[in-house]
Amino acid sequence: LGDQMIQERLQVVVVGAKVSISDAEVRRLYDQKFKKGGAQVQLVTLRMPYPMGATQEQKEATKEKAETILNAVKRGESFEEAAGKQSITLSDVGFVSQNDLDPRLAEFLDQLKPKEVGPVATQEGIQLIQVKGRRSVEARPFEEVAPEIRRILQQQEMEKYFAEWAKTLREKAHIKIML
């Protein structure tokens, strides 16, 4: 956390003045992501990544652990309790617009009832996702959302400029490793 704070401060100092976001960019992002209201889903996730270079046996062990948690939830245990017994902590993602999700994931989540847990298998591992709730959201007016959108765009631009700046420093650096 300390390193992240230092990096963010350095971004502001090094590239903050170089970043300017036009009103047209803010309007474009508003039209793409914020203009339409729509359905939101509240998610709690449990990530169970496979170990680096996992063998088939290790992948099966991860799947078995996921099935143990799913079965416990189906028997009436809370998602938190079932995960805790496996020494795994949950991540409360909060409300997410269904428009921002991959269409396949949004379709899968539509099939889950509130408090129901479903598995999602990926190449990296297994995720168990619980739908805690759903809500419908009215679109917020541009004037209300514009400052938030501008901050998002500024942060993205600063990260891009900072990465370029750091790359330039690395290329200029003369490091000699002596073992």
Side-chain angles (χ1 to χ4, degrees):
L1 182 63
D3 289 343
Q4 184 180 1
M5 289 172 58
I6 292 170
Q7 183 176 349
E8 287 174 4
R9 180 71 182 130
L10 194 56
Q11 283 178 351
V12 171
V13 170
V14 173
V15 297
K18 296 178 185 176
V19 174
S20 66
I21 305 299
S22 72
D23 291 340
E25 291 174 288
V26 174
R27 175 60 78 171
R28 188 171 359 96
L29 186 60
Y30 174 79
D31 290 342
Q32 288 174 352
K33 297 219 180 232
F34 293 86
K35 190 173 188 174
K36 51 192 174 291
Q40 289 186 335
V41 61
Q42 184 181 11
L43 303 175
V44 174
T45 63
L46 179 111
R47 291 187 66 237
M48 302 176 74
Y50 298 134
M52 197 75 151
T55 64
Q56 192 60 35
E57 204 172 82
Q58 290 172 314
K59 289 180 181 182
E60 287 300 319
T62 303
K63 288 178 186 176
E64 286 175 20
K65 197 183 255 192
E67 287 173 10
T68 301
I69 294 170
L70 278 172
N71 290 333
V73 171
K74 286 178 184 173
R75 286 191 310 270
E77 211 172 305
S78 77
F79 193 27
E80 292 81 9
E81 289 173 353
K85 286 182 179 176
Q86 299 291 326
S87 301
I88 302 173
T89 55
L90 303 175
S91 296
D92 189 343
V93 179
F95 281 96
V96 178
S97 172
Q98 287 199 261
N99 296 332
D100 292 340
L101 298 173
D102 180 285
R104 294 172 296 177
L105 179 59
E107 185 180 321
F108 172 74
L109 295 175
D110 277 340
Q111 297 171 10
L112 294 178
K113 297 177 186 91
K115 305 292 183 205
E116 191 175 358
V117 178
V120 176
T122 66
Q123 291 178 339
E124 294 84 31
I126 297 173
Q127 277 197 352
L128 300 180
I129 302 175
Q130 180 183 47
V131 174
K132 286 197 89 165
R134 299 176 192 281
R135 70 180 179 192
S136 175
V137 178
E138 295 294 319
R140 292 166 46 196
F142 175 75
E143 294 74 23
E144 181 183 318
V145 185
E148 181 181 333
I149 295 172
R150 189 173 301 279
R151 277 192 301 276
I152 291 169
L153 291 172
Q154 283 175 328
Q155 184 65 35
Q156 289 172 348
E157 282 295 305
M158 284 195 318
E159 287 172 5
K160 186 176 82 177
Y161 276 116
F162 185 78
E164 291 172 14
W165 175 76
K167 181 181 176 190
T168 303
L169 285 180
R170 278 189 219 102
E171 290 171 354
K172 289 180 182 177
H174 299 288
I175 299 171
K176 189 174 185 180
I177 300 173
M178 302 171 79
L179 298 176

